[in-house]
Amino acid sequence: MHVRRLLPCLAMALLAFFGLTAPAQAQQAPEPGPSIAAAPNFKAPYPCGQKWTYSHHSAEVRRALDFIRADGGSTAGTPVLASAPGRATRHSQPSGAGNYIVIDHGGGWKTYYFHLASYSVPDGAQVAQGQQIGVTGSTGNSSGAHIHYEQLLNGVGQNIVINGQGLAYPGSYHQYYLTSDNCGGGSSNFSTWGSDVRVRADAYLSSPVVTVLGGPTQVFVECQKQGDTVNAEGYTNNWWSKLRDQRGFISNIYIDHPSAQLPGVPVC
């Protein structure tokens, strides 16, 4: 027998003679599997205080719920709100979802908002919980205005959970209702009033118009400053709000708040 082969055999024989065992070969610890991120505290995708009813259509590909108003207000034209903070992207599918927004909340969690009449944020915008992202409509394959809403984890549709509570999946409306407490994340969230409100590059009537708010819109005010005096509907004000998402200024007259200078908002 070759000497190199003989030595291991002698070693094993000696171990056996003295009642010893060979040391176990070290094993590599298994790698931990992927962890599931905790879900955000999702809120209703429509404004604070409003009461809506919801249903589920069995033909839906994922675990979606459709919402319509049940408080006497019009579903069409109502703001659609982010149910949790994240990055919003705009999409269009004329033959199906219509105009829709996807919000990536991180950790594999996303929410979908279908059939929007219009978008309220730029593509790729970071949005806060309660911020308006669109307007309820009936674009795409839809028989009437409603919010088609989904929650997905790693691309898989999940049962809808709002405020930590799972919702029912009724086959028709007016069996279950949900009143929204999606009231925004802080004192910088306001609503506007009026129609065709011009957003300007600065707090002056001579400043270029950067966009126009077609109707009541939820806005995030970054700061405020004094500028040109504006007169409207019997009010006079020279304070202007800088809007984060519209990237311009509007007169505080068009902010739905009784104070000329908004409380809790810093001066620019």
Side-chain angles (χ1 to χ4, degrees):
M1 180 180 291
H2 197 280
V3 174
R4 289 184 178 178
R5 294 181 180 177
L6 179 62
L7 289 175
C9 294
L10 289 173
M12 294 298 296
L14 289 172
L15 286 170
F17 179 80
F18 289 105
L20 301 174
T21 59
Q25 186 176 5
Q27 295 184 359
Q28 186 176 0
E31 294 184 1
S35 59
I36 298 177
N41 182 29
F42 292 117
K43 302 284 186 181
Y46 44 87
C48 182
Q50 292 185 1
K51 180 181 178 182
W52 292 50
T53 183
Y54 53 91
S55 70
H56 171 73
H57 298 290
S58 59
E60 298 284 5
V61 175
R62 293 186 289 260
R63 298 293 290 165
L65 285 174
D66 293 332
F67 291 85
I68 62 172
R69 290 190 71 166
D71 57 6
S74 172
T75 299
T78 295
V80 178
L81 310 186
S83 59
R87 180 177 178 270
T89 54
R90 293 160 44 157
H91 306 267
S92 180
Q93 187 187 50
S95 62
N99 301 323
Y100 70 99
I101 277 184
V102 178
I103 300 181
D104 187 341
H105 306 286
W109 286 97
K110 294 182 178 181
T111 48
Y112 284 43
Y113 311 76
F114 287 5
H115 309 302
L116 303 176
S118 60
Y119 307 107
S120 300
V121 292
D123 186 49
Q126 285 294 132
V127 297
Q129 185 175 62
Q131 181 177 338
Q132 181 174 338
I133 57 173
V135 176
T136 306
S138 187
T139 58
N141 185 13
S142 170
S143 59
H146 67 284
I147 302 174
H148 171 111
Y149 175 73
E150 301 181 17
Q151 295 174 354
L152 287 80
L153 175 60
N154 296 325
V156 178
Q158 306 293 303
N159 287 342
I160 304 299
V161 174
I162 301 294
N163 292 330
Q165 299 294 319
L167 300 188
Y169 274 75
S172 60
Y173 294 119
H174 302 292
Q175 297 183 53
Y176 293 89
Y177 301 88
L178 178 66
T179 298
S180 174
D181 68 345
N182 195 353
C183 304
S187 60
S188 293
N189 290 280
F190 295 90
S191 293
T192 66
W193 65 273
S195 59
D196 298 326
V197 176
R198 294 175 175 85
V199 181
R200 298 184 179 275
D202 206 344
Y204 305 99
L205 294 171
S206 60
S207 299
V209 175
V210 296
T211 190
V212 177
L213 305 180
T217 303
Q218 286 203 332
V219 293
F220 186 95
V221 178
E222 288 186 323
C223 59
Q224 58 189 331
K225 71 177 185 177
Q226 292 179 304
D228 283 349
T229 298
V230 176
N231 300 285
E233 301 291 332
Y235 297 95
T236 299
N237 200 343
N238 70 337
W239 281 93
W240 292 65
S241 290
K242 183 179 181 182
L243 307 184
R244 179 187 64 187
D245 303 303
Q246 290 76 18
R247 300 173 185 174
F249 289 81
I250 64 170
S251 167
N252 279 9
I253 279 182
Y254 297 108
I255 299 291
D256 192 10
H257 194 279
S259 299
Q261 182 179 359
L262 301 176
V265 176
V267 174
C268 298

